[in-house]
Amino acid sequence: STFSADVDTASYSVVRRFLNDGRLPPRDAVRIEEMVNYFDYNYALPATRERPFEPSVAVYPAPWNAKTEVLHIGIQGYGLPQGERPPVNLVLLLDVSGSMEDPDKLPLLQKSLSMLVKEMTARDRISIVVYAGNAGLVLPPTPGSEHARIIAALDQLQAGGSTNGGAGIELAYNVA
């Protein structure tokens, strides 16, 4: 496994999608550390911010060799209690060019961001800037509690056109 404050778990989802479609995943899509990190191991949470990480260590006999042991080390970071998260101002810059048309690109992004939106509160703000041939503001700064409005803005996104990322970045910075 990896030791990081933030770990990537995408490989498990990518591999699962390929297998569910009846296909083998490409070799470079199988990243063992991301697959291991996908699962929640219910490691003990640190009790206070003063000790921000709590290690969990165990030694097991290896199932493939009785003379070998496996060392399992897990680290759980301190999680903010519900309601203590500071407000966020998210400015999403989304590529909606023609290259994003595949089901595992823009549609997957829309679904993922809809899940994120459900975690937002009235103290949060979210804006959506898109770019393809041109850049555009799809959603001006909006309170995170306006879930239906935000999801409607996400749902209207469609892929098409060329890519003009520079204009999108400039507009996103101005909105932020």
Side-chain angles (χ1 to χ4, degrees):
S1 186
T2 56
F3 294 103
S4 172
D6 181 34
V7 294
D8 194 343
T9 61
S11 184
Y12 183 89
S13 298
V14 170
V15 168
R16 182 181 57 205
R17 189 186 77 239
F18 272 96
L19 294 175
N20 285 338
D21 289 346
R23 300 179 293 150
L24 289 176
R27 181 180 295 264
D28 63 345
V30 181
R31 297 184 185 111
I32 299 302
E33 71 280 2
E34 291 181 19
M35 296 182 79
V36 168
N37 287 328
Y38 179 84
F39 298 96
D40 181 358
Y41 295 96
N42 295 317
Y43 295 135
L45 290 170
T48 68
R49 288 182 186 198
E50 288 71 36
R51 186 173 173 169
F53 296 99
E54 186 68 38
S56 174
V57 180
V59 178
Y60 304 100
W64 61 86
N65 180 349
K67 296 178 183 178
T68 304
E69 294 180 322
V70 175
L71 174 62
H72 177 138
I73 302 172
I75 296 180
Q76 180 67 47
Y78 179 79
L80 286 175
Q82 189 71 3
E84 283 190 31
R85 178 182 60 79
V88 296
N89 178 29
L90 298 177
V91 179
L92 304 176
L93 174 59
L94 307 179
D95 178 355
V96 294
S97 65
S99 65
M100 294 296 290
E101 198 167 17
D102 294 342
D104 63 342
K105 293 185 178 175
L106 183 59
L108 181 60
L109 179 65
Q110 289 167 298
K111 183 178 179 181
S112 300
L113 291 175
S114 293
M115 293 170 63
L116 168 75
V117 166
K118 293 174 184 168
E119 300 297 319
M120 298 185 76
T121 69
R123 299 179 326 141
D124 301 321
R125 294 287 175 270
I126 185 169
S127 309
I128 301 174
V129 175
V130 297
Y131 66 92
N134 295 307
L137 181 63
V138 173
L139 183 72
T142 302
S145 57
E146 294 186 25
H147 298 164
R149 180 177 173 203
I150 300 164
I151 291 171
L154 288 168
D155 287 345
Q156 77 172 1
L157 301 178
Q158 295 181 354
S162 60
T163 304
N164 183 2
I169 291 171
E170 187 174 328
L171 179 56
Y173 271 106
N174 289 336
V175 170

